[in-house]
Amino acid sequence: MTIGILGGGQLGRMLALAGYPLGLRTELYDPSPDACAGQVAPLVSAPYNDWDALARLAEGKACATYEFENVPLDTAQFLEKRVPVRPTTRALEIFQDRLLEKQFLNSVGIPTPAFAPIDPAQPDAALEITGLPCVLKTRRFGYDGKGQGVAHTGEEYRTLIQRFQPHALIAEAFVPFDREVSALGVRSLTGEIAVYPLVENWHREGILRVSMVDAVTPSPPSPLSHAVGEGGTNSPLPCRGRGAGGEGYITRLLESLDYVGVLALEMFQIGDQLLANEVAPRVHNSGHWTIEGAETSQFENHLRAILGLPLGSVAPRGYCAMVNLVGELPPIDAVLRIPNAHLHLYGKSPRPGRKLGHITLRADTQEERDTLLEKLLHIYPVSRV
Ligand code: AMP
């Protein structure tokens, strides 16, 4: 079986690699001939509006999927008429627009920071909802902190609006969060659902730098975890390291959209409250640890899900941390000398802000994991805040 994948970056590359042991082939599609997934699997390089090339991509494929949510909607819709596209283009349509995304989250009872679209004719109306400070974001095509800025004063707010012109914008209340977390879930074509343990994420300049896995046990549907998202916005969160949160939300998202594939929900935690920030309808950077750290990786489970195969266990194999290699690489010898450090390089040339690879640390105890992380951060410094 061959699967067509829109996008040929590192996520496409890791999806392609996960397909090999299962005897699955992939064909990737990316406008850039240098897209790094092309180093490991066949890559078609053509623009997203090359309908002939897209029609050929659909030919003979079991299904198609996408590895980033900024694939033009009409590209995915064109493909959908020829081959099943999973997750559906409806998910793409909602989650590539920050306004539709937040409206949808609220409509299924998942709380978000206060937000409002910015009407260029009456820009200050949004401020009445969000207050100051607030975060301005372009509704579309923002990622890794691109297309956003924080306004502390009315003047900064208006300057940012000018800067982002002519893009449609939303304003969000600035959240003084304790930490950022993400929940990663997967739903198969058969309706089977599995949710990985909650992950804590450290970002710098809007880019994910470190993910720490909260739990060492899978997250069974416990009354506590179900409470998150079902009992209102102030439901209790399980203690850090003891369980997972956000399953209630992620399960609700997967079910309400009849979703098929992996989905990530990024959230802010303030005290015992979770506020949803962003949904990624695809495999996600905060799930890279699952390659070595879980019984079944997010990439394999995504492929299983979109083909209607039974899902693999999401149980973690010990304590994990994942460090992204952004902009520049550490000395490789020193990294490989760290026990249980699993290095992944994406075959991309270094450029500031570019994700070049990642390292997953896996250990039998939390103390050991923390020691390994300290060693790695000594070689490749990333501060928590
Ligand atoms: P995003 O592109 O929405 O994922 O935002 C990138 C990063 O900016 C997030 O991971 C947060 O660190 C920060 N950020 C985004 N929105 C907010 C907000 N409303 N309040 C505080 N920080 C935010």
Side-chain angles (χ1 to χ4, degrees), residues 134-151:
C134 71
V135 186
L136 275 81
K137 298 181 181 177
T138 54
R139 277 178 59 174
R140 306 171 70 83
F141 303 119
Y143 67 98
D144 283 350
K146 292 188 176 69
Q148 63 176 271
V150 180

Side-chain angles (χ1 to χ4, degrees), residues 23-92:
L24 299 173
R25 289 162 188 245
T26 51
E27 189 174 306
L28 295 115
Y29 190 105
D30 196 292
S32 164
D34 300 327
C36 70
Q39 297 166 15
V40 305
L43 172 82
V44 179
S45 177
Y48 280 128
N49 61 357
D50 184 335
W51 310 117
D52 291 338
L54 283 166
R56 280 196 297 278
L57 179 74
E59 265 168 36
K61 303 297 183 301
C63 68
T65 188
Y66 43 90
E67 59 102 85
F68 84 128
E69 66 272 32
N70 287 327
V71 167
L73 187 61
D74 53 359
T75 299
Q77 286 170 334
F78 176 89
L79 213 54
E80 191 181 34
K81 296 198 182 93
R82 288 155 182 83
V83 65
V85 174
R86 299 176 187 136
T88 58
T89 55
R90 168 112 177 94
L92 198 61

Side-chain angles (χ1 to χ4, degrees), residues 217-231:
T217 50
S219 328
S222 68
L224 199 56
S225 56
H226 269 299
V228 178
E230 297 204 350

Side-chain angles (χ1 to χ4, degrees), residues 40-382:
V40 305
L43 172 82
V44 179
S45 177
Y48 280 128
N49 61 357
D50 184 335
W51 310 117
D52 291 338
L54 283 166
R56 280 196 297 278
L57 179 74
E59 265 168 36
K61 303 297 183 301
C63 68
T65 188
Y66 43 90
E67 59 102 85
F68 84 128
E69 66 272 32
N70 287 327
V71 167
L73 187 61
D74 53 359
T75 299
Q77 286 170 334
F78 176 89
L79 213 54
E80 191 181 34
K81 296 198 182 93
R82 288 155 182 83
V83 65
V85 174
R86 299 176 187 136
T88 58
T89 55
R90 168 112 177 94
L92 198 61
E93 185 173 16
I94 296 171
F95 299 127
Q96 65 181 207
D97 180 330
R98 289 184 191 269
L99 179 62
L100 299 184
E101 175 176 67
K102 289 203 162 55
Q103 287 170 338
F104 180 78
L105 286 164
N106 288 178
S107 76
V108 295
I110 300 176
T112 59
F115 66 93
I118 297 179
D119 175 357
Q122 293 175 303
D124 286 357
L127 276 189
E128 280 165 32
I129 293 166
T130 64
L132 284 168
C134 71
V135 186
L136 275 81
K137 298 181 181 177
T138 54
R139 277 178 59 174
R140 306 171 70 83
F141 303 119
Y143 67 98
D144 283 350
K146 292 188 176 69
Q148 63 176 271
V150 180
H152 299 88
T153 62
E155 204 183 322
E156 278 180 8
Y157 175 76
R158 282 178 284 279
T159 308
L160 278 172
I161 293 178
Q162 292 285 330
R163 200 215 295 165
F164 289 127
Q165 257 182 355
H167 298 290
L169 300 172
I170 66 163
E172 278 174 34
F174 181 87
V175 181
F177 53 78
D178 298 322
R179 62 175 192 154
E180 292 186 76
V181 295
S182 57
L184 193 75
V186 56
R187 183 172 176 274
S188 175
L189 195 57
T190 59
E192 187 188 357
I193 287 179
V195 182
Y196 287 94
L198 198 74
V199 167
E200 172 179 336
N201 299 315
W202 308 353
H203 290 87
R204 283 302 143 276
E205 281 100 38
I207 303 176
L208 178 68
R209 303 304 294 256
V210 176
S211 289
M212 307 272 282
V213 186
D214 253 21
V216 289
T217 50
S219 328
S222 68
L224 199 56
S225 56
H226 269 299
V228 178
E230 297 204 350
T233 55
N234 288 315
S235 317
L237 258 184
C239 296
R240 188 166 167 215
R242 270 193 35 233
E247 288 92 342
Y249 290 164
I250 202 119
T251 303
R252 200 179 310 170
L253 276 175
L254 293 168
E255 285 178 342
S256 61
L257 283 167
D258 221 1
Y259 188 92
V260 175
V262 165
L263 176 139
L265 173 63
E266 293 188 79
M267 295 170 281
F268 302 128
Q269 185 184 337
I270 326 152
D272 61 4
Q273 195 186 5
L274 286 177
L275 291 178
N277 175 37
E278 202 175 20
V279 178
R282 54 167 169 80
V283 287
H284 192 255
N285 196 168
S286 67
H288 290 359
W289 67 273
T290 60
I291 297 177
E292 292 88 8
E295 289 296 335
T296 316
S297 79
Q298 62 164 344
F299 301 101
E300 179 173 337
N301 261 339
H302 184 76
L303 296 175
R304 290 186 187 214
I306 63 177
L307 292 171
L309 298 170
L311 297 178
S313 163
V314 291
R317 299 197 277 205
Y319 291 78
C320 291
M322 189 274 325
V323 175
N324 260 349
L325 304 178
V326 181
E328 55 181 1
L329 295 176
I332 297 307
D333 275 24
V335 170
L336 294 179
R337 244 176 243 125
I338 298 176
N340 287 348
H342 301 275
L343 175 68
H344 295 252
L345 296 178
Y346 307 147
K348 291 155 86 174
S349 45
R351 197 191 297 155
R354 196 174 203 202
K355 290 177 180 167
L356 304 174
H358 73 266
I359 297 162
T360 296
L361 301 170
R362 205 206 58 75
D364 292 332
T365 65
Q366 190 167 343
E367 293 69 33
E368 194 191 330
R369 190 269 316 267
D370 292 347
T371 308
L372 294 179
L373 183 61
E374 210 173 294
K375 266 193 195 156
L376 178 56
L377 296 184
H378 187 69
I379 302 169
Y380 194 75
V382 185

